[in-house]
Amino acid sequence: MSERQELRRHYRRKRNALTPEIQNLNAEAVAKHFFTSGLGLRAKTIGAYFAEDAELDLSPLTMRLLAAKKRLAMPVVRADGIMEFYRYRRNGRLVLNRYGIPEPAPGAAFVAPMSIDLLLVPLVAFDRFGMRLGMGAGFYDRFLGRIPERFRPLLVGIAHETQRCMDPLPYEDWDIPLNGVVTEAGWQALPE
């Protein structure tokens, strides 16, 4: 087993060990910290995600973003493995993708990659240098790799504090670092 696979297993176990009560408290704290940080003030279009496998639940945050009239975009993984973003509206129709994750149903409005100002990214682990360990499929790195660097959105990891790795995470040339992370402990710009 590779180092990255071992780290994924370790941090997924830590994430999954959190009780539902702690997960809910963390989700509320992240929503509060997001708004007090001012992160979303200038962002018109925000890419988010539907949580799975004990990822931090963005529901409290997305409901507040919708109430603040922000345009939300959620990922859709096409049959060819390419991830794109589509408009998400409160009570909009959702379907489950092949991974069992909700995504906007066919007919939702396409959101152009360069129109996303801020992208909230799930992760398995993160370090102080802005490196993120994802689930291993590379959807986010490939999505961001298609956008010229100067037009990329602000990339913000969303996590439970228990997912913080104190040592530098291994990375590949194609891994795109985070600009910051929000956990229940607050907002932190990365790299330090």
Side-chain angles (χ1 to χ4, degrees):
M1 182 179 295
S2 77
E3 180 183 12
R4 286 165 75 101
Q5 289 170 320
E6 286 178 29
L7 285 165
R8 270 189 197 97
R9 229 172 60 194
H10 172 75
Y11 283 99
R12 284 179 71 201
R13 268 198 313 266
K14 287 180 80 166
R15 186 173 74 183
N16 280 289
L18 297 171
T19 65
E21 293 79 20
I22 294 295
Q23 293 211 15
N24 289 336
L25 287 171
N26 290 353
E28 288 293 338
V30 163
K32 179 182 149 233
H33 292 309
F34 179 88
F35 277 99
T36 58
S37 72
L39 274 173
L41 285 178
R42 282 181 287 218
K44 289 184 175 79
T45 302
I46 298 173
Y49 64 87
F50 290 105
E52 60 115 17
D53 189 41
E55 292 169 340
L56 194 128
D57 183 11
L58 282 183
S59 298
L61 178 55
T62 57
M63 291 303 106
R64 292 178 196 173
L65 289 169
L66 288 169
K69 306 291 187 221
K70 297 295 183 179
R71 189 171 103 156
L72 280 184
M74 295 292 192
V76 171
V77 178
R78 298 186 332 204
D80 62 2
I82 300 294
M83 185 173 77
E84 296 176 329
F85 281 79
Y86 288 81
R87 182 80 185 264
Y88 173 70
R89 298 175 188 276
R90 189 186 319 264
N91 302 320
R93 199 166 77 80
L94 301 171
V95 295
L96 295 181
N97 67 18
R98 66 180 175 265
Y99 304 106
I101 303 168
E103 56 186 31
F110 175 74
V111 176
M114 289 194 294
S115 72
I116 298 173
D117 304 304
L118 174 66
L119 184 57
L120 305 175
V121 184
L123 51 85
V124 175
F126 67 97
D127 68 19
R128 67 183 182 275
F129 303 105
M131 296 316 298
R132 156 191 177 272
L133 186 64
M135 292 293 284
F139 292 124
Y140 282 90
D141 289 315
R142 285 195 309 275
F143 171 76
L144 292 164
R146 295 191 316 265
I147 304 171
E149 191 171 345
R150 68 179 188 272
F151 296 117
R152 285 184 189 148
L154 185 69
L155 192 58
V156 176
I158 301 292
H160 302 282
E161 191 61 34
T162 192
Q163 295 172 258
R164 181 185 300 272
C165 182
M166 300 315 286
D167 297 317
L169 287 167
Y171 64 91
E172 300 293 340
D173 291 341
W174 57 80
D175 289 333
I176 297 172
L178 301 167
N179 298 110
V181 67
V182 183
T183 71
E184 71 275 12
W187 154 251
Q188 179 185 0
L190 299 171
E192 289 185 326

